[in-house]
């Protein structure tokens, strides 16, 4: 509990700092939501022109889109310190964290908080509710639990990738752009059910970066297409 109190005190500091420049903060909220809106428009126009994508309906695609974007936005909001970890190393700020009597992972989380990402989170939540109501899913308590696990586990997957590559910054000093293949790239791939990209891509996002474990396989259980009900628990494996 003490750790959580310390973390939220740091969050409150970041919030107060952001509110000092409210016009700038408001503009950043608008800018941050434009990217997912443009991607969403691309999905919409795709269905307007072709009518279907394999055997997936538009609301089903939107559900995958919303879960992936919600996971990424949550990770980006709360784990910003690891996303920009190379800056801490390059500027020598990590040395300052090392002399503080607190857990270094906690202090890295507290070092940055991307409050302007809340607009992405809000958009993803609205889209998630809309898609859930129109995807033709017969909702049960189990399925609602699976949906929550998909979002939370997806957040941990993105955070895990950032933390893993942050560790390499002790050697490389600069952040490796290849990490964007797994984070931003995973977010873009996750706009659609991962099976549409083919077997090899699905295997990559199952065994290397386990995004399929939090998106594709549990999603099959939501729409009652899964070969086994055990696939609903794959987010826990991720």
């Amino acid at each position: 509990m003490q750790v959580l109190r310390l973390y939220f005190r740091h969050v409150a500091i970041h919030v107060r700092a952001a509110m000092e420049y409210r016009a700038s903060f408001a503009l950043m909220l608008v800018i941050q939501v434009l990217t997912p809106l443009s991607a969403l428009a691309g999905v919409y126009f795709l269905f307007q022109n072709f009518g279907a994508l394999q055997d997936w309906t538009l609301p089903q695609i939107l559900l995958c889109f919303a879960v992936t974007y919600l996971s990424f936005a949550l990770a980006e909001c709360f784990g910003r310190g690891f996303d920009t970890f190379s800056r801490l190393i390059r500027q020598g700020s990590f040395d300052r964290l090392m002399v503080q009597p607190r857990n270094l992972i906690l202090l890295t989380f507290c070092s940055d908080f991307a409050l302007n990402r809340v607009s992405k989170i809000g958009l993803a939540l609205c889209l998630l509710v809309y898609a859930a109501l129109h995807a033709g899913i017969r909702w049960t308590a189990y399925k609602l639990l699976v949906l929550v696990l998909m979002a939370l586990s997806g957040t941990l997957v993105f955070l895990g990738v950032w933390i893993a590559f942050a560790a390499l910054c002790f050697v490389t000093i600069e952040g490796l752009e290849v990490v964007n293949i797994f984070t931003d790239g995973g977010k873009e791939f996750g706009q659609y059910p991962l099976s549409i990209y083919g077997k090899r891509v699905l295997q990559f996002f199952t065994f290397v970066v386990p995004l399929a474990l939090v998106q594709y396989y549990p999603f099959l259980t939501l729409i009652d297409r899964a070969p086994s009900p055990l696939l609903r628990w794959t987010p826990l494996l991720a």
Side-chain angles (χ1 to χ4, degrees), residues 146 149-150 153-154 157 213-215 218 231-238:
V146 170
L149 286 176
M150 289 169 67
S153 297
V157 167
L213 297 184
V214 300
Q215 191 246 43
L231 290 180
R232 71 176 59 156
W233 305 119
T234 56
L236 298 179
L237 296 178

Side-chain angles (χ1 to χ4, degrees), residues 24-60:
S24 175
F25 176 69
L27 287 174
M28 286 301 299
L29 288 179
V30 174
I31 292 171
Q32 286 297 322
V33 85
L34 290 179
T35 301
L37 277 178
S38 62
L40 182 60
V43 175
Y44 175 77
F45 290 127
L46 176 67
F47 273 83
Q48 284 291 101
N49 284 279
F50 298 101
L53 183 62
Q54 294 184 353
D55 55 348
W56 305 99
T57 66
L58 177 58
Q60 290 172 347

Side-chain angles (χ1 to χ4, degrees), residues 9-87:
R9 285 183 64 183
H10 277 81
V11 169
I13 292 172
H14 286 295
V15 171
R16 288 198 297 270
M19 290 297 100
E20 289 296 320
Y21 304 94
R22 297 188 179 184
S24 175
F25 176 69
L27 287 174
M28 286 301 299
L29 288 179
V30 174
I31 292 171
Q32 286 297 322
V33 85
L34 290 179
T35 301
L37 277 178
S38 62
L40 182 60
V43 175
Y44 175 77
F45 290 127
L46 176 67
F47 273 83
Q48 284 291 101
N49 284 279
F50 298 101
L53 183 62
Q54 294 184 353
D55 55 348
W56 305 99
T57 66
L58 177 58
Q60 290 172 347
I61 296 291
L62 293 181
L63 189 60
C64 289
F65 183 102
V67 168
T68 303
Y69 259 88
L70 178 59
S71 297
F72 185 83
L74 287 170
E76 198 176 27
C77 182
F78 294 100
R80 183 69 175 170
F82 285 99
D83 187 24
T84 59
F85 189 77
S86 62
R87 185 176 62 192

Side-chain angles (χ1 to χ4, degrees), residues 147-163:
L147 187 62
V148 172
L149 286 176
M150 289 169 67
L152 294 181
S153 297
T155 302
L156 294 179
V157 167
F158 285 119
L159 281 175
V161 174
W162 275 323
I163 292 173

Side-chain angles (χ1 to χ4, degrees), residues 63-130:
L63 189 60
C64 289
F65 183 102
V67 168
T68 303
Y69 259 88
L70 178 59
S71 297
F72 185 83
L74 287 170
E76 198 176 27
C77 182
F78 294 100
R80 183 69 175 170
F82 285 99
D83 187 24
T84 59
F85 189 77
S86 62
R87 185 176 62 192
L88 293 179
I89 297 295
R90 189 171 62 253
Q91 296 176 351
S93 301
F94 190 73
D95 294 341
R96 177 170 49 84
L97 298 184
M98 292 179 67
V99 300
Q100 298 183 23
R102 293 293 178 183
N103 182 278
L104 285 172
I105 292 179
L106 171 65
L107 291 174
T108 304
F109 271 113
C110 295
S111 67
D112 202 353
F113 178 74
L115 183 62
N116 52 26
R117 267 58 172 184
V118 296
S119 58
K120 283 186 178 180
I121 296 173
L123 175 64
L125 284 172
C126 293
L127 184 60
L128 185 65
V129 172
Y130 172 84

